[in-house]
Amino acid sequence: MSVYEKLKALDITLAAPATPAAAYVMYAQTGNLVFLSGHIAKRADGSVWTGQLGKNIDTAEGKQAARAIAIDLIGTLQAAVGGDLTRVKRIVKVMSLVNSTGDFTEQHLVTNGASELLGEVFGDAGKHARSAFGVAQIPLGACVEIELIAEVSDAA
């Protein structure tokens, strides 16, 4: 099943990349690596998914937020590869920042929301190295922020 068939089967529609909120670009490519800037969690209506894990958001909701970010990351990755996700050879690395209280220790489980979706969509090529950190705050009060590095093939 192709990446696009998997997205369709999962009922996922990719949006255009968001506009940067500060002085940066949404992605940069060097050689065959594409670096995606951090994407913050947004709800279906486009509003920022705010809150803090261990205070007013539980692990299950955080995992949903991370999954939503993965969908946005795939949309940005699609733009980075000129609209052709079949050029993605591998998701290399994911880094997740989880807005959490000092005693919250399930950042890795929250981040699974993104990692599992990347595996579903890209298969073996979606298996990646990963870091998950608890942080005191994320811009705009978002509950999760995730960045991604992907290896891509040359344009056809």
Side-chain angles (χ1 to χ4, degrees):
M1 192 181 289
S2 77
V3 169
Y4 292 104
E5 290 169 332
K6 290 175 186 176
L7 289 168
K8 186 175 181 177
L10 292 167
D11 198 28
I12 294 173
T13 302
L14 301 177
T19 303
Y24 63 92
V25 294
M26 293 306 291
Y27 59 86
Q29 183 170 348
T30 183
N32 282 24
L33 292 178
V34 176
F35 294 77
L36 301 188
S37 292
H39 286 49
I40 60 172
K42 294 185 179 172
R43 295 186 179 275
D45 66 2
S47 65
V48 176
W49 200 324
T50 60
Q52 190 172 49
L53 279 289
K55 181 178 179 182
N56 53 10
I57 294 181
D58 65 17
T59 301
E61 184 179 350
K63 187 175 178 178
Q64 291 173 342
R67 183 181 189 281
I69 295 171
I71 293 169
D72 288 344
L73 286 164
I74 295 168
T76 299
L77 186 55
Q78 179 174 253
V81 295
D84 184 6
L85 285 171
T86 64
R87 289 185 51 213
V88 175
K89 291 175 70 175
R90 173 148 207 178
I91 305 301
V92 176
K93 173 85 188 230
V94 167
M95 187 179 79
S96 174
L97 305 172
V98 180
N99 181 351
S100 51
T101 61
D103 60 350
F104 183 81
T105 60
E106 295 186 344
Q107 291 84 359
H108 61 296
L109 299 176
V110 168
T111 306
N112 279 348
S115 294
E116 290 168 0
L117 181 67
L118 292 169
E120 285 182 76
V121 172
F122 293 102
D124 284 344
K127 295 178 182 176
H128 53 272
R130 186 179 91 178
S131 300
F133 302 96
V135 298
Q137 193 52 267
I138 293 175
L140 306 177
C143 59
V144 182
E145 179 175 354
I146 301 175
E147 65 179 47
L148 180 148
I149 302 168
E151 180 186 9
V152 299
S153 63
D154 295 327

